[in-house]
Amino acid sequence: MRSICLFCGAAAGASPRFAEAARALVAELVARNIGIVYGGGKVGLMGVVAETALDSGGRIAGVIPEHLFDGEVAFETLEELHVTQSMAQRKAKMAQLSDGFIALPGGLGTLEEFFEVLSWAQIGLHGKPCALFNVDGYYDRLIAFLDHAVERGFIVPRARALAVVESDPESLVARLVDTTPAAFDRWQSSK
Ligand code: AMP
């Protein structure tokens, strides 16, 4: 696995634990020589991820759309910074550069990005692993909702299983490295 995309909040969250966990995850990726692809900003957990990667000599690529260049304070000194014209191009570029995806704690943007790649896995558009980094129980209620959606018959269990969930950075990266979910055809699978 060469590179993993980290979707992360443009905020740092209400507890220092989120930034600490982001640093630990980046350290784990750098130790395994796995490159990082992220949203290209300097704010919130995005900034924590980029600064930690640079400080520890990791490989990192940012992908930011033109119109957020100022708002999310683009990390202009990154060696690899891609500037796109739209959000759609940003997400496509991030996906193209990555062999797997991890959502750190984040808000609407992070959720949208994560569910796009997860739903793309569900319909066989890629076979790359998708994970939630469940720092301090941040995603507990979202995970409970996914299970509820399975119970209510709107998500098939195999699609639910595509979402890897871990709270420990080492176990999380180990699982992504070991898991390459076969892309599957949801229309032929009800289990
Ligand atoms: P947030 O999780 O809302 O703090 O946003 C995290 C990242 O997601 C930021 O880089 C946002 O620019 C990005 N983002 C916000 N809205 C969207 C969207 N509709 N689609 C894709 N990315 C978004």
Side-chain angles (χ1 to χ4, degrees):
M1 184 160 286
R2 224 184 106 66
S3 295
I4 289 186
C5 178
L6 301 184
F7 297 129
C8 23
S15 154
R17 284 191 220 160
F18 297 118
E20 281 161 23
R23 285 190 209 100
L25 177 60
V26 170
E28 184 60 29
L29 293 169
V30 173
R32 287 173 174 261
N33 194 27
I34 296 174
I36 294 165
V37 176
Y38 89 115
K42 258 189 196 164
V43 292
L45 290 189
M46 277 196 284
V48 172
V49 160
E51 273 158 28
T52 311
L54 290 179
D55 289 350
S56 51
R59 287 185 286 119
I60 181 155
V63 186
I64 195 160
E66 252 169 16
H67 78 283
L68 288 180
F69 203 87
D70 296 328
E72 293 189 351
V73 199
F75 215 118
E76 293 182 69
T77 53
L78 286 183
E79 240 170 68
E80 190 176 342
L81 181 66
H82 303 267
V83 182
T84 63
Q85 288 185 334
S86 68
M87 293 300 264
Q89 286 170 356
R90 176 201 224 180
K91 288 186 293 178
K93 186 75 186 169
M94 289 170 91
Q96 179 209 327
L97 293 173
S98 310
D99 304 307
F101 308 93
I102 298 175
L104 280 72
L108 294 175
T110 303
L111 294 172
E112 196 276 345
E113 291 167 330
F114 177 71
F115 281 109
E116 179 172 89
V117 293
L118 189 65
S119 61
W120 283 2
Q122 171 183 244
I123 54 173
L125 290 181
H126 67 78
K128 301 174 185 179
C130 303
L132 289 169
F133 185 23
N134 191 22
V135 178
D136 207 16
Y138 180 69
Y139 282 123
D140 282 354
R141 277 168 265 183
L142 185 69
I143 295 155
F145 178 78
L146 293 177
D147 292 333
H148 165 78
V150 172
E151 272 167 37
R152 295 297 179 99
F154 283 102
I155 298 181
V156 297
R158 280 186 66 206
R160 162 66 185 84
L162 290 172
V164 172
V165 179
E166 284 289 345
S167 52
D168 171 64
E170 209 180 314
S171 322
L172 174 58
V173 177
R175 272 186 74 186
L176 281 211
V177 169
D178 291 345
T179 326
T180 305
F184 73 93
D185 182 350
R186 86 177 270 206
W187 313 117
Q188 293 186 4
S189 163
S190 59
K191 296 250 158 92

